[in-house]
Amino acid sequence: MMRHLPEPSYEVLDADRVLVAYAAGVFPMADARDAAGVYWVEPHRRAILPLDGFHLSRSLRKTIASDRFRVTADTTFERVVALCAESAGDRPETWINATIERVFATLHARGHAHSVECWDGERLVGGLYGLALGQAFFGESMVSRATDASKVALAWLVARLRVGGFRLLDCQFMTDHLASLGAVEISRRDYVALLGAALGSLGAASSVAAVPAVGDFGALDRLAPLAAAAAADTVSGPPVGKDIVQLLTQTS
C-alpha cells in the first residue's frame, strides 16, 4: 500500500521541491511514460537494502570478479534514465515521464543525482540511477539489457556507498529481484527513523537544496585498488571487479 499526496503541476516539480520531498520520505511517480503530470508517493512499507547485507551469490561473485561488464559511474546519466524509462518485454510501461527525466537531469547537474552504468564493449546494457542526500541514497530505477547487468550495477553501487560513508540505501518498493539481493521491507515509522539518522540536520534544514550531499559518491574512484595494494609491481588504476568483491565481503 502507498499513500498518494496531491498532484503538483510541472511548474512546481523543480529540483528544490524534489529534494525537500525526499528528505521527508516522499517521492514523485507518473502513471505512464507519456503522462502529463506526476503524483507524490509515501509507501506504507518501504524496501531498503542494508549496506552490510548485500547478498553476493557465488555466480554473481564470479560475474563481477571476471569483469564481464565494464562498470562506470556518472558518465552518461541521461542515457541511463532514458534506458530505465524504455518499455521492455518484462516491463511494458514505466513510471518515468518527461517531467521526472527533466528534474533529475537538473539534480544530476547539481551533483545530487548519480548513475552507475554497465557496458558490453561500447554498448550500454544496464545500470541504475538515484538521488544522494546526506548519507542516504534513494534508488530510483535500474535496468538490464543483458543477463545480470542490473545485479552487477547494484553490487557496484553498494560498494560505492559503503566506501563513501553512506548509511541508507532506499529501494522504495520490494520486488523478488531486490529481495534476492538482500533487500528487506520495513514499516514507514522505521524508515523515517533510518532516514532521519542518515540525513542528520539536513532533514530540519530550511533549505535542503542549499546543503551539499554528505555521503561521498566519488570516494570509490579515488580508492587505490585493493588487489593492486598487495602487489608492489602492479600499476594503480580504477577499481575492478575483484576490488568490488573484496569490498562487499569485508565486514565492518
Side-chain angles (χ1 to χ4, degrees):
M1 295 180 63
M2 60 185 178
R3 181 160 64 105
H4 289 189
L5 302 181
E7 178 179 334
S9 64
Y10 170 65
E11 287 74 20
V12 296
L13 188 64
D14 60 20
D16 292 347
R17 181 180 175 91
V18 170
L19 290 175
V20 171
Y22 275 86
V26 181
F27 55 88
M29 295 182 71
D31 282 323
R33 173 68 174 147
D34 59 355
V38 302
Y39 55 87
W40 296 102
V41 179
E42 185 180 24
H44 292 284
R45 303 285 296 175
R46 198 84 168 220
I48 66 166
L49 204 165
L51 294 176
D52 60 354
F54 183 81
H55 180 219
L56 188 64
S57 66
R58 183 177 300 176
S59 61
L60 182 56
R61 181 193 302 247
K62 183 177 179 180
T63 297
I64 295 170
S66 69
D67 290 313
R68 181 184 303 174
F69 302 110
R70 178 171 59 90
V71 183
T72 58
D74 285 342
T75 64
T76 181
F77 179 85
E78 293 187 26
R79 283 184 63 189
V80 171
V81 177
L83 192 64
C84 287
E86 282 183 3
S87 62
D90 60 341
R91 188 174 61 175
E93 190 56 83
T94 70
W95 53 267
I96 304 168
N97 67 354
T99 298
I100 291 173
E101 277 192 278
R102 291 188 191 103
V103 77
F104 268 88
T106 299
L107 288 165
H108 174 63
R110 291 189 183 184
H112 283 289
H114 301 281
S115 61
V116 175
E117 307 96 21
C118 284
W119 305 85
D120 182 359
E122 296 304 312
R123 178 175 170 242
L124 180 65
V125 294
L128 56 83
Y129 79 96
L131 178 73
L133 189 62
Q135 292 175 301
F137 189 88
F138 307 88
E140 286 297 301
S141 185
M142 57 184 181
V143 63
S144 186
R145 293 291 185 264
T147 302
D148 289 339
S150 63
K151 291 182 180 180
V152 171
L154 186 59
W156 276 75
L157 174 68
V158 170
R160 182 173 287 276
L161 298 182
R162 289 184 63 171
V163 172
F166 287 82
R167 301 175 64 177
L168 174 64
L169 173 51
D170 175 15
C171 301
Q172 298 181 346
F173 299 110
M174 179 63 81
T175 65
D176 291 342
H177 181 61
L178 287 170
S180 71
L181 295 169
V184 297
E185 197 173 51
I186 61 175
S187 68
R188 180 193 298 159
R189 183 175 64 178
D190 289 343
Y191 173 77
V192 168
L194 291 175
L195 179 62
L199 296 183
S201 61
L202 291 184
S206 58
S207 178
V208 174
V211 184
V214 175
D216 187 351
F217 192 80
L220 180 66
D221 303 318
R222 300 188 299 274
L223 186 68
L226 303 179
D233 60 345
T234 303
V235 178
S236 179
V240 295
K242 289 181 180 178
D243 299 320
I244 300 306
V245 168
Q246 188 168 345
L247 285 167
L248 292 175
T249 52
Q250 283 178 343
T251 55
S252 55

